[in-house]
Amino acid sequence: MKKSAKRVSFLRSPKWKALRQQALDRDGHKCCLCGSTKRLNVHHLLFRRQYGDLKLDIDNLLTVCSKCHFRIHKSSGNFNVLLYLMQNRPT
């Protein structure tokens, strides 16, 4: 199975859908970085392809809006950037 097919299969799985909902509920259905409630994503802090055993660990998930999600991936998932974004989020 190709990587993209595996990814789609994972994102459609009942386990992922349930865990995604748990993360959204935990984070109050808002972006943990900017507080937005629009176009929310659930981001894996540690990459699924490198840390596959954590792909269904809620402590490895963070609710972010699509804008912040893009910023995270634009920084190549750099934890220093993620920490900066989290520390400088609006209160």
Side-chain angles (χ1 to χ4, degrees):
M1 188 181 297
K2 291 183 180 181
K3 284 184 184 180
S4 60
K6 279 186 179 181
R7 181 177 179 271
V8 169
S9 178
F10 171 73
L11 295 175
R12 290 182 178 167
S13 72
K15 285 183 180 181
W16 168 248
K17 287 181 179 184
L19 189 62
R20 181 184 186 280
Q21 188 60 51
Q22 287 177 22
L24 289 166
D25 292 343
R26 178 199 62 197
D27 296 334
H29 290 263
K30 62 183 179 181
C31 178
C32 291
L33 301 179
C34 74
S36 175
T37 58
K38 297 180 181 176
R39 300 184 62 198
L40 296 176
N41 296 275
V42 176
H43 174 71
H44 285 88
L45 295 168
L46 297 174
F47 297 120
R48 290 189 319 263
R49 67 179 160 241
Q50 293 171 313
Y51 302 94
D53 54 326
L54 296 177
K55 71 181 176 185
L56 292 173
D57 183 340
I58 195 161
D59 294 328
N60 186 40
L61 302 176
L62 183 71
T63 301
V64 291
C65 68
S66 59
K67 187 181 224 181
C68 289
H69 200 209
F70 175 78
R71 289 167 60 191
I72 291 168
H73 282 280
K74 187 177 178 185
S75 71
S76 300
N78 184 315
F79 282 107
N80 292 329
V81 172
L82 184 56
L83 287 172
Y84 172 80
L85 292 171
M86 291 181 76
Q87 290 171 347
N88 292 287
R89 65 184 171 187
T91 53

